[in-house]
Amino acid sequence: MDTGSRHSLPAKLGLTGTGDRPGREPGLLQSLTIRMRLWRNRQIASPRFRSLVARLPLLRRISNRKANHLFRLTSGFVHTQILSACVSLGLFEALNGKALPSSALSTRCGVPLEPMRRLLEQARRLDLVVSPAPDLWMLTDAGTVLATDRGLREMIRHHDMLYRDLADAETFWRGDGGETELRRYWAYVRGNDPAALQNDDAAPYSALMRESQAMLADCILASFDFGRFTSVLDVGGGEGAFLAALGTHHTALDLALFDLPVVSQLARRHLNERGVLHRTQIRGGDFARDAIPADSDCVTLIRILCDHDDDRVLLILANLQRSLKPGTRLVVAEAMAGESQGANLAALYFTSYFAAMGSGRCRSSHEIIDLLTRSGFRNARALTTTNPLLATLVTAER
């Protein structure tokens, strides 16, 4: 077989280094798939072919569906800005449990009447509000969730920061953007000594994490039975939002939280407000290097590994493996890349977010299992949750 680049299969296909590994030629089935895709792309690129498709009813429906999808991608930034405006102006809270005319919403939101009507029509097109009668407005299902979930609204407000980091898209994706607002915001990724953070550094992101965890906690608790354990330690638990939900759901569980000293102080206040502080042991430290309490038979990592690059993840897991007693169950819960629609949406979002943050990535469950195994954990396996968009679970044993 001639292996010269002029006659090799990748060269014939117009490809270089295509396959499982760099420089490896594709197998027969893969090469046929590539040939078919290249042929299909040539047809779609042809104005004559597109004109033919437009004249055939069945193909026209398929073509229009794909055109609509492409236009959603093209105009998606407009959708997010409409959503951002509705949240910032308090539209969803104003309509929560009510049907109101435009004039009342204009007064409530502090927007002149005609711009208010224009925004309401845009919100209707995004299926956030509905008009049951002329100039009367109510919330849809999605609008109701936004009205009642404060954490979701806080995340949408937080996105103003991400929008600014993404503004110069070419520079951002080249990796040439330098310091970003998100990196400054998430203070623990900036330096080598997270334990030295002060309250002014930790309070903003800790509050955001607390507010945004309600739906995630519900998803995890509906997908995994923590009632089989006597004590659960939440490592990197922030202000204790997940732990408080867990303690409310399982009233016999002993609770424990481990996080940076400055965050642990904030956790005491929140757990006291939620009525579970008396059942909770709180310890402060760096989970990558300080000894982790070994009293619990279950340890959780909720949205922790995704925040960190592989080298630091291995430090965190190695420290846990050293600290915990044999038989301790470890539960990792975070959004993970995968084949489902929810997992794919999560990967699209979090890959961009972590790139702006300058730390971490959205891993697949297979990658997390590999990291756990390399760190000495046993019997790692993935568990599907009620909502893969929010989280997938990986469990393992010390």
Side-chain angles (χ1 to χ4, degrees), residues 38-275:
L38 289 174
W39 175 85
R40 177 185 176 124
N41 289 351
R42 286 195 297 273
Q43 307 315 306
I44 292 172
S46 165
R48 182 178 177 183
F49 178 80
R50 293 200 299 270
S51 176
L52 173 64
V53 167
R55 294 195 298 271
L56 300 175
L58 177 60
L59 293 180
R60 183 167 63 239
R61 285 196 294 271
I62 297 172
S63 174
N64 287 345
R65 186 171 68 246
K66 290 183 176 293
N68 290 342
H69 169 69
L70 182 58
F71 191 74
R72 287 190 191 95
L73 294 179
T74 305
S75 62
F77 73 101
V78 174
H79 302 182
T80 59
Q81 293 301 83
I82 293 168
L83 177 62
S84 179
C86 291
V87 168
S88 297
L89 292 169
L91 175 63
F92 302 114
E93 297 99 311
L95 280 173
N96 190 20
K98 303 182 184 71
L100 295 175
S102 301
S103 57
L105 291 168
S106 171
T107 301
R108 175 76 179 267
C109 297
V111 177
L113 183 57
E114 286 310 310
M116 188 75 251
R117 285 181 172 141
R118 185 162 59 243
L119 179 61
L120 286 163
E121 282 294 339
Q122 293 291 74
R124 180 187 62 78
R125 294 178 178 114
L126 290 180
D127 195 30
L128 299 171
V129 299
V130 64
S131 181
D135 206 34
L136 187 68
W137 302 95
M138 298 178 67
L139 295 175
T140 61
D141 293 351
T144 300
V145 172
L146 286 160
T148 54
D149 192 320
R150 179 178 173 180
L152 188 53
R153 297 196 305 274
E154 289 302 313
M155 282 300 299
I156 292 168
R157 291 189 178 96
H158 172 69
H159 284 159
D160 287 348
M161 199 178 298
L162 178 58
Y163 297 153
R164 290 190 288 271
D165 286 340
L166 294 172
D168 186 346
E170 180 181 348
T171 298
F172 176 83
W173 287 109
R174 284 179 181 275
D176 299 333
E179 187 74 359
T180 62
E181 285 194 49
L182 280 182
R183 186 170 179 82
R184 290 191 293 272
Y185 179 83
W186 295 102
Y188 57 81
V189 304
R190 293 198 306 251
N192 296 321
D193 188 10
L197 291 180
Q198 301 299 312
N199 186 70
D200 289 346
D201 298 313
Y205 75 73
S206 294
L208 177 65
M209 293 299 291
R210 181 192 71 232
E211 293 293 344
S212 64
Q213 278 208 356
M215 292 178 69
L216 175 63
D218 289 343
C219 171
I220 296 169
L221 294 176
S223 307
F224 188 82
D225 179 18
F226 288 92
R228 72 187 83 169
F229 306 108
T230 58
S231 176
V232 175
L233 167 66
D234 193 16
V235 173
E239 295 190 23
F242 172 72
L243 206 61
L246 175 64
T248 302
H249 197 78
H250 294 284
T251 56
L253 271 179
D254 292 328
L255 309 174
L257 183 143
F258 186 92
D259 209 320
L260 297 172
V262 64
V263 179
S264 299
Q265 296 170 18
L266 299 170
R268 291 184 183 279
R269 181 182 62 193
H270 179 66
L271 292 168
N272 185 53
E273 292 172 353
R274 294 290 301 272

Side-chain angles (χ1 to χ4, degrees), residues 22-37:
R24 180 177 177 180
E25 293 186 359
L28 178 61
L29 181 59
Q30 190 177 26
S31 68
L32 289 173
T33 301
I34 294 170
R35 286 179 181 274
M36 286 299 297
R37 171 53 69 178

Side-chain angles (χ1 to χ4, degrees), residues 288 305 308-318 359-361 363 371 374-375:
L305 301 187
H308 303 280
D309 297 330
D310 284 2
D311 55 352
R312 184 163 171 82
V313 167
L314 288 170
L315 288 175
I316 294 168
L317 294 178
S359 176
R361 62 190 181 93
R363 299 174 178 87
L371 290 166
R374 289 165 60 188
S375 302

